[in-house]
Amino acid sequence: APFTPTLLLVFIGLGFLTSVDSFLFSYGLSYLPVSTAALIGSSQLAFTSVFSYLLVRFRFTFGSLNAVFAITLATVLLGIPGAAASTDIAPGTGHKQYILAMLAAIGAAALFGLIMPLVELTYEKIIHRSNMCVILEAQIMVCLFATVLSLLGMAFSREFSAIHGESTKFGSGSSIYCVVLLASAICWQLCYVGTIGLVFVASALFS
């Protein structure tokens, strides 16, 4: 597909939604126990199902509905014991922060459930599912805009100075802290490549 103003606006929009989703996910994970955040995150599949039906008219079968129900139920059952027994709440977290973190985690799950069907809609209506190379180029552009928007947000909120403070307090040293950040970025990119690949060959629901 040729690079058009419409495609540019789509990339900017998806990049903006991705950056907001990342912020909500990070905020929720900052104050919630990991098990609780994972439990809330399991609702993402339900949101994806709803938005897939509304946006791309995904045709549900008994098998797909059963898979959605079984996966969601299994995730919830695995997460409930850990969430109930978890005490790894960030020091100084108040009731208001905890509630906001829960809302942020739910918002992140809902927004990610919206982004994937929007990506599938973009593939079908604008890019026309041409080939995997074009899909990867589109993903690079979306991630580029998401990164730029995230960096601008960090610059305005002066988060870069906080990173330096975190690195000095990191138990394994500032060098390992940088390695962890780099490894996290690489792993997330690999995750996104796998996700958009599944959207390309299958659908947003199965990603």
Side-chain angles (χ1 to χ4, degrees):
F3 194 79
T4 62
T6 300
L7 197 57
L8 177 63
L9 290 175
V10 169
F11 289 156
I12 294 175
L14 288 174
F16 173 75
L17 292 177
T18 301
S19 61
V20 172
D21 183 64
S22 299
F23 169 76
L24 292 174
F25 177 78
S26 300
Y27 185 87
L29 201 58
S30 296
Y31 298 103
L32 292 177
V34 175
S35 53
T36 303
L39 183 60
I40 296 174
S42 65
S43 63
Q44 173 260 320
L45 185 57
F47 288 114
T48 303
S49 302
V50 173
F51 289 124
S52 291
Y53 176 75
L54 294 176
L55 295 177
V56 296
R57 298 300 177 187
F58 181 83
R59 295 182 179 181
F60 287 94
T61 63
F62 175 77
S64 59
L65 286 173
N66 187 49
V68 170
F69 176 77
I71 293 173
T72 303
L73 180 62
T75 306
V76 170
L77 291 176
L78 288 173
I80 285 176
S86 180
T87 57
D88 55 337
I89 301 175
T93 301
H95 179 72
K96 183 179 179 180
Q97 285 179 319
Y98 192 84
I99 296 299
L100 288 175
M102 289 191 66
L103 293 176
I106 295 171
L111 192 54
F112 189 80
L114 172 64
I115 290 172
M116 288 299 103
L118 285 176
V119 169
E120 184 177 359
L121 192 65
T122 302
Y123 292 169
E124 292 182 353
K125 301 297 184 180
I126 300 178
I127 302 179
H128 305 296
R129 291 184 181 269
S130 51
N131 56 66
M132 192 61 189
C133 290
V134 175
I135 299 302
L136 286 174
E137 290 174 3
Q139 183 61 23
I140 290 172
M141 293 300 297
V142 171
C143 288
L144 176 62
F145 282 116
T147 301
V148 170
L149 291 170
S150 298
L151 290 175
L152 288 174
M154 292 178 66
F156 281 116
S157 60
R158 299 179 180 178
E159 287 292 323
F160 289 107
S161 58
I163 291 178
H164 176 71
E166 286 181 355
S167 65
T168 56
K169 297 177 182 178
F170 194 67
S172 300
S174 57
S175 299
I176 301 298
Y177 179 86
C178 294
V179 171
V180 171
L181 286 183
L182 179 61
S184 298
I186 293 174
C187 289
W188 274 113
Q189 286 303 311
L190 292 175
C191 175
Y192 279 128
V193 169
T195 300
I196 61 105
L198 283 173
V199 174
F200 174 66
V201 300
S203 67
L205 183 62
F206 291 102
S207 67

